[in-house]
Amino acid sequence: MNERENSVNSTDYVYRAIHPNRNFIKADGSISSAAFKDPKGLSVEQGLGRADKDVVTHIRQAKLQGKITKISVKVCINANITIYNDKAKNIYHRLLLNRPYDHNGNNTLTKTQARALATNISALL
Amino acid sequence: MPKVKAERNELPKKKPRTRVTMKNGKVELVTMNGAKRPSYTRDSVMRHPAIGTLRNRSVNVIDISKIESSFEKNHKLFINALKKLAAISNLKDNWNDNGAKRFENILLVKCFTILSTLEKFPPEIFPVADGSIQFEFEKEDGSYLEFDIFENEASEFVVYSGGKEVEKTIACDKIAKEVKFFYERTGE
């Protein structure tokens, strides 16, 4: 693990805004694992001790309007998902990767990892 | 000519054919010419001659409401899947606001073709940012089947109710068979 795959607190959470066009919402209202598959890595915000409403406000400032999923870091750890600090301007921004970051490769989460996220959402904000 | 008339008159009168429908939770018998007969209770429907005939042939008791609601549910899900695929075909470049490309026509045609074979087991359909289209199936026992469909092949992922996971690559023309197998298979 390099310095960017930072050690994370397992009691923390990551937050992912689901695109608002309803493409990823199932008939029963739950979220499809397809929402968590992105070859560029899955953009999330890490909580880092913030209250949910503060995270939501921060994400909304970036003009992301869809529902926001809150997922425990424990779920990521158990699914062997790499939480990668890409040192973006947004200090809370992280990428969820299927393995250590590959600049040229496909960083899509595996099916097992994407489903682990989709079926372990702590809250929809 | 009068002779013909006489023959016609001698023909036994046919009973109007009826079909059984469920509406607002009530069972109704409707004649095939569209005339609605009064609502019937479930007991009176089960005494209908057609159902009586089936009973005499030792056919298991038929739960009409289950068959009908299952058919209506599947039909609705199938129409929803068609609509969703149509919506996916209209997505433009950058549809996820993170640079995802629009879906290729060749893939869309393939997905419509596959969907047409799944009327009995309609999937939920989702676009994926990697350029594939995802078909999902879920059973009441918690088992789950997913295909990421690409132009040349599909990636299959099954999670059985016991938690066992299987992932493999298959040809797209094998999908309908795999889905049927998934629904016919009991827990593992």
Side-chain angles (χ1 to χ4, degrees):
Chain A
M1 182 182 285
N2 66 38
E3 60 170 329
R4 285 191 169 193
E5 290 147 28
N6 57 330
S7 57
V8 289
N9 183 344
S10 64
T11 60
D12 202 357
Y13 290 89
V14 291
Y15 300 78
R16 162 78 180 173
I18 302 299
H19 200 276
N21 60 11
R22 295 194 63 80
N23 274 324
F24 299 119
I25 313 288
K26 293 194 198 187
D28 65 3
S30 60
I31 310 286
S32 164
S33 63
F36 301 97
K37 294 176 181 174
D38 192 320
K40 295 178 178 176
L42 192 73
S43 275
V44 296
E45 277 207 8
Q46 196 172 331
L48 298 176
R50 292 176 295 165
D52 288 348
K53 65 179 176 58
D54 295 332
V55 178
V56 170
T57 304
H58 193 256
I59 291 175
R60 296 283 182 237
Q61 282 169 356
K63 296 186 178 170
L64 294 172
Q65 295 305 320
K67 289 271 184 193
I68 294 168
T69 53
K70 176 186 180 184
I71 300 166
S72 169
V73 161
K74 262 185 211 161
V75 173
C76 301
I77 293 169
N78 291 340
N80 291 320
I81 294 171
T82 300
I83 301 176
Y84 177 75
N85 182 353
D86 61 345
K87 305 279 183 189
K89 280 182 187 171
N90 171 3
I91 59 169
Y92 303 109
H93 188 260
R94 301 287 183 273
L95 287 173
L96 300 190
L97 310 171
N98 60 2
R99 57 173 182 265
Y101 189 70
D102 181 351
H103 286 278
N104 304 311
N106 185 344
N107 291 290
T108 312
L109 295 178
T110 65
K111 291 172 186 301
T112 303
Q113 290 170 332
R115 181 157 166 82
L117 297 181
T119 54
N120 289 286
I121 294 169
S122 303
L124 263 181
L125 307 169
Chain B
M1 297 303 279
K3 195 180 172 186
V4 175
K5 258 189 184 175
E7 276 176 4
R8 276 185 184 161
N9 288 338
E10 284 165 15
L11 289 173
K13 279 185 182 174
K14 277 186 182 175
K15 284 185 181 176
R17 289 172 62 204
T18 58
R19 62 190 166 91
V20 184
T21 61
M22 282 282 287
K23 201 173 180 184
N24 301 326
K26 269 187 170 180
V27 182
E28 285 180 349
L29 292 185
V30 181
T31 59
M32 294 308 277
N33 64 11
K36 197 183 287 181
R37 295 170 65 182
S39 296
Y40 286 73
T41 63
R42 170 170 293 282
D43 283 347
S44 67
V45 169
M46 293 312 281
R47 285 199 300 270
H48 187 269
I51 292 170
T53 308
L54 291 174
R55 276 214 190 101
N56 293 339
R57 287 180 191 167
S58 303
V59 174
N60 290 337
V61 173
I62 300 165
D63 188 337
I64 297 165
S65 65
K66 263 191 185 169
I67 294 169
E68 198 149 34
S69 64
S70 159
F71 173 78
E72 281 175 5
K73 190 181 164 198
N74 274 359
H75 181 68
K76 197 177 167 190
L77 290 174
F78 183 73
I79 297 296
N80 286 346
L82 276 171
K83 285 180 181 171
K84 183 67 176 288
L85 199 47
I88 290 171
S89 70
N90 287 324
L91 292 175
K92 310 277 185 225
D93 280 342
N94 198 33
W95 57 267
N96 68 343
D97 293 329
N98 196 30
K101 293 206 160 50
R102 65 186 284 274
F103 293 90
E104 297 293 337
N105 283 344
I106 198 166
L107 173 63
L108 292 164
V109 169
K110 183 158 278 182
C111 287
F112 274 112
T113 307
I114 294 166
L115 181 58
S116 71
T117 65
L118 297 171
E119 198 168 353
K120 209 170 165 189
F121 307 110
E124 290 215 55
I125 302 179
F126 306 98
V128 184
D130 65 2
S132 65
I133 294 177
Q134 183 166 313
F135 282 30
E136 280 187 31
F137 306 83
E138 207 149 7
K139 287 202 292 192
E140 283 177 1
D141 66 0
S143 46
Y144 171 84
L145 173 66
E146 168 188 313
F147 295 96
D148 276 350
I149 301 169
F150 295 88
E151 282 176 29
N152 300 317
E153 59 189 17
S155 167
E156 179 181 351
F157 177 56
V158 193
V159 184
Y160 295 103
S161 54
K164 182 185 166 190
E165 293 182 1
V166 178
E167 193 172 339
K168 62 182 176 186
T169 300
I170 63 163
C172 291
D173 59 2
K174 299 276 187 283
I175 288 178
K177 195 177 164 191
E178 291 288 304
V179 173
K180 189 167 180 280
F181 183 64
F182 171 73
Y183 278 101
E184 286 174 352
R185 190 173 187 149
T186 50
E188 190 167 312

